[in-house]
Amino acid sequence: MSSPPLLRGTPPPAAPTADLPVGPSGAEAPRDGAELPEVITPIREHIVTMCASAEGGHLGGSMSLVEILAVLYFRVLRHDPRFPGQPDRDILLLSKGHAGIGLFATLCEAGYFPAEELRAYARPGSHFTAHPHPGIPGVEMPSGSLGHGLAVGVGHALGHRLEGSERRCFVVMGDGELQEGSVWEAASVASAQRLGRLTAIVDRNGLQISGPTESVGALEPLADRWRAFGWRVLEADGHDTDALTAALSLPPDPERPTVLIAHTVKGMGVPQVEGQARSHYARLGRRQQLQLLKSLRADAEARR
């Protein structure tokens, strides 16, 4: 599909209608789980290719998010990439902004912009940088400094309530990010305000740039911590698309916000660094890129 030039700070066009289906481009979203792998593999390929740029990219935390983002954009969110600013769209905030290349890859596959624009990642003049910003269609907030996304999500959810809107807001967070005090301030406000249409998703891969989260700043018992703040708590395998779909498709609890703790593997899809903190940032060589692309495609073919 064609798209207008990406102008930094330019608001995206609004749609002429308030009717939004689930899934991209006004199409019915995949429902049976068999189609998502056809999206997931290209998303991972885009991430690998961006990590093979001169600047490299945040490989591990982007790969751990792939199934989560794919389920959101292809099964759960009400959105239309033809009109990114549609007033009744659901809101997705990527609080763990260092996984921006995972979001860019997903938006590309969802139809927000063509792949040739994504290939300009990290080149001089490109709008695709290491962290998201709203000059890119589909990106709702700039992020990179951790710990702010949930508070912004609270603001969206409160605003939607004041408007009488049925829109939902989803905030995707890293587990290391939960060491920020601002996260728990926002969690407390969300519960006190009974923001039932707010959902937080924690990418619980157990690692941050400094090492295991439990060594840097212990989070467990994480589910009980969220419950103590008054949230409905769900848990799922973050690489199981059916389990993610079931959890994220549940009707909102009108009395409390929801958090999904998604158990993932950092660097998923790259066997050499899966589950290792060193996958946090990578600058892949051409040979590594080709090997990983071949491995991803072979794995996808084996699953068919």
Side-chain angles (χ1 to χ4, degrees):
M1 63 174 285
S2 62
S3 67
L6 305 184
L7 303 177
R8 190 180 301 272
T10 300
T17 174
D19 295 329
L20 277 179
V22 176
S25 301
E28 182 69 19
R31 293 292 181 184
D32 59 10
E35 291 137 306
L36 271 187
E38 298 175 10
V39 175
I40 288 169
T41 297
I43 291 173
R44 283 206 159 90
E45 290 176 356
H46 289 314
I47 293 170
V48 165
T49 297
M50 284 184 275
C51 287
S53 69
E55 295 299 321
H58 289 90
L59 177 66
S62 297
M63 287 297 216
S64 62
L65 275 183
V66 170
E67 285 82 4
I68 295 169
L69 292 174
V71 166
L72 284 167
Y73 278 95
F74 288 88
R75 289 184 169 176
V76 176
L77 292 175
R78 295 173 65 252
H79 70 113
D80 190 333
R82 298 169 301 179
F83 306 104
Q86 214 287 337
D88 287 337
R89 72 193 182 280
D90 289 335
I91 298 294
L92 186 286
L93 304 176
L94 180 66
S95 189
K96 54 171 288 184
H98 55 282
I101 60 174
L103 178 61
F104 304 157
T106 306
L107 291 171
C108 176
E109 289 302 309
Y112 280 82
F113 40 80
E116 52 264 28
E117 292 185 6
L118 190 60
R119 295 188 191 109
Y121 167 78
R123 295 177 187 171
S126 172
H127 296 284
F128 295 96
T129 57
H131 297 277
H133 63 83
I136 298 171
V139 175
E140 302 283 357
M141 64 171 275
S143 53
S145 180
L146 296 174
H148 301 298
L150 189 59
V152 175
V154 167
H156 275 283
L158 283 170
H160 299 163
R161 175 188 287 171
L162 290 171
E163 294 170 351
S165 172
E166 294 298 306
R167 300 164 73 185
R168 298 182 68 183
C169 181
F170 297 84
V171 182
V172 179
M173 312 167 69
D175 50 2
E177 180 178 3
L178 302 187
Q179 295 157 354
E180 300 276 358
S182 54
V183 170
W184 300 104
E185 292 178 43
S188 178
V189 172
S191 175
Q193 292 295 321
R194 299 181 178 180
L195 298 179
R197 304 194 75 80
L198 175 65
T199 297
I201 303 164
V202 178
D203 178 16
R204 185 66 167 123
N205 61 39
L207 293 168
Q208 57 195 100
I209 192 170
S210 305
T213 57
E214 297 311 289
S215 298
V216 178
L219 298 170
E220 295 296 342
L222 186 56
D224 288 341
R225 182 179 294 194
W226 282 100
R227 289 190 187 98
F229 273 81
W231 286 57
R232 174 174 69 168
V233 179
L234 308 173
E235 297 193 62
D237 180 339
H239 302 297
D240 183 331
T241 56
D242 290 333
L244 289 169
T245 301
L248 293 171
S249 298
L250 287 174
D253 183 327
E255 296 298 319
R256 53 185 176 163
T258 296
V259 61
L260 170 62
I261 301 173
H263 299 278
T264 64
V265 177
K266 191 158 187 166
M268 183 69 172
V270 186
Q272 299 91 325
V273 294
E274 280 184 0
Q276 299 180 42
R278 68 189 181 102
S279 71
H280 188 83
Y281 196 92
R283 191 174 287 110
L284 302 174
R286 177 64 173 167
R287 179 177 295 179
Q288 290 173 305
Q289 177 193 7
L290 294 176
Q291 288 175 339
L292 288 176
L293 292 176
K294 181 179 179 181
S295 173
L296 288 171
R297 291 163 187 165
D299 184 59
E301 187 65 32
R303 291 198 304 268
R304 289 177 182 173

